[in-house]
Amino acid sequence: QVSAEAAMPTSSATGPRRGTIRLRLIRGFGALVLLLIVAGVLGHRTMTQMAAATGTTLDGVQTEALQSAQLSADVSQTLEAGNRYVETRDPADLEAFRLFGAKAHLVQREMNARLSKTPDNAAIRKEEEVGVIAAIDSRFSAIEVDYALAHRLADLGRTDEAHREAVKGRAIVGQLLSDIERLGRLKTAK
């Protein structure tokens, strides 16, 4: 006869016992808590990185908007001072013409420098933006030359010729303003 103890399987005969239900639940909840902690840490790191990237992008957009506004203002003030000098020959207007012209060229250089530091992931837009800035610089320089000649003619008392040169400069202003507007649209689209 086989005894009852011999008929019952022992743990060594069937392998190690995995534990009680209670032990399994504790292990499962422990693993769940560990996974939640890992997910929280990863989520926090991702949100921190996204906030930093968003802040950098926002700073860039604000800087570009400020540069565009500054360029537009400097160009307008240069043109206004140039016109006033032809009419009044006030040295303060000539100084303002030179000062605002230099500031406009400085802003254009800053815009180009900023573009050279941006990644090439939008190369087509970047090239278009460089082209528009170059067109603005070229037209603005042509206007400055026309006004500088008008100023010299006005200084010599040749007012009719001075006015003709100023009109030549003003004829380019529409194209210049169109280029500035186009630059603004490119910055907005970016």
Side-chain angles (χ1 to χ4, degrees):
Q1 286 195 6
V2 178
S3 70
E5 283 181 18
M8 294 192 79
T10 62
S11 63
S12 61
T14 60
R17 284 183 79 183
R18 295 194 180 230
T20 64
I21 291 175
R22 179 182 181 145
L23 186 58
R24 287 181 187 169
L25 286 174
I26 290 173
R27 285 182 185 159
F29 284 127
L32 185 61
V33 168
L34 180 64
L35 288 174
L36 286 173
I37 290 171
V38 170
V41 169
L42 290 175
H44 181 267
R45 186 174 357 151
T46 301
M47 293 300 282
T48 302
Q49 290 171 345
M50 285 177 57
T54 301
T56 302
T57 302
L58 183 58
D59 288 343
V61 168
Q62 288 174 333
T63 300
E64 288 180 353
L66 180 63
Q67 286 175 331
S68 292
Q70 187 64 47
L71 176 63
S72 183
D74 289 340
V75 165
S76 296
Q77 290 175 320
T78 301
L79 298 175
E80 179 61 31
N83 277 328
R84 278 195 318 263
Y85 186 77
V86 170
E87 298 301 322
T88 65
R89 296 190 49 236
D90 182 359
D93 291 329
L94 181 60
E95 183 61 31
F97 174 79
R98 291 176 179 159
L99 173 71
F100 289 117
K103 286 174 65 176
H105 286 292
L106 178 64
V107 171
Q108 290 170 352
R109 282 192 297 277
E110 289 172 357
M111 289 174 140
N112 280 326
R114 183 170 183 73
L115 278 174
S116 69
K117 294 177 186 175
T118 59
D120 287 337
N121 56 358
I124 295 172
R125 275 198 191 139
K126 187 176 177 179
E127 288 176 14
E128 187 177 3
E129 200 169 332
V130 168
V132 171
I133 292 171
I136 289 170
D137 187 43
S138 175
R139 287 193 173 101
F140 184 62
S141 294
I143 291 169
E144 284 181 305
V145 168
D146 288 338
Y147 273 107
L149 181 56
H151 295 163
R152 296 303 70 81
L153 290 169
D155 290 341
L156 294 172
R158 297 163 60 183
T159 55
D160 290 339
E161 293 174 70
H163 286 294
R164 279 195 294 275
E165 285 300 320
V167 167
K168 280 175 46 180
R170 283 192 294 267
I172 306 171
V173 170
Q175 297 168 341
L176 175 66
L177 294 177
S178 175
D179 286 339
I180 291 173
E181 182 181 333
R182 185 171 164 214
L183 178 64
R185 284 193 310 266
L186 286 172
K187 297 280 188 191
T188 302
K190 194 176 6 173

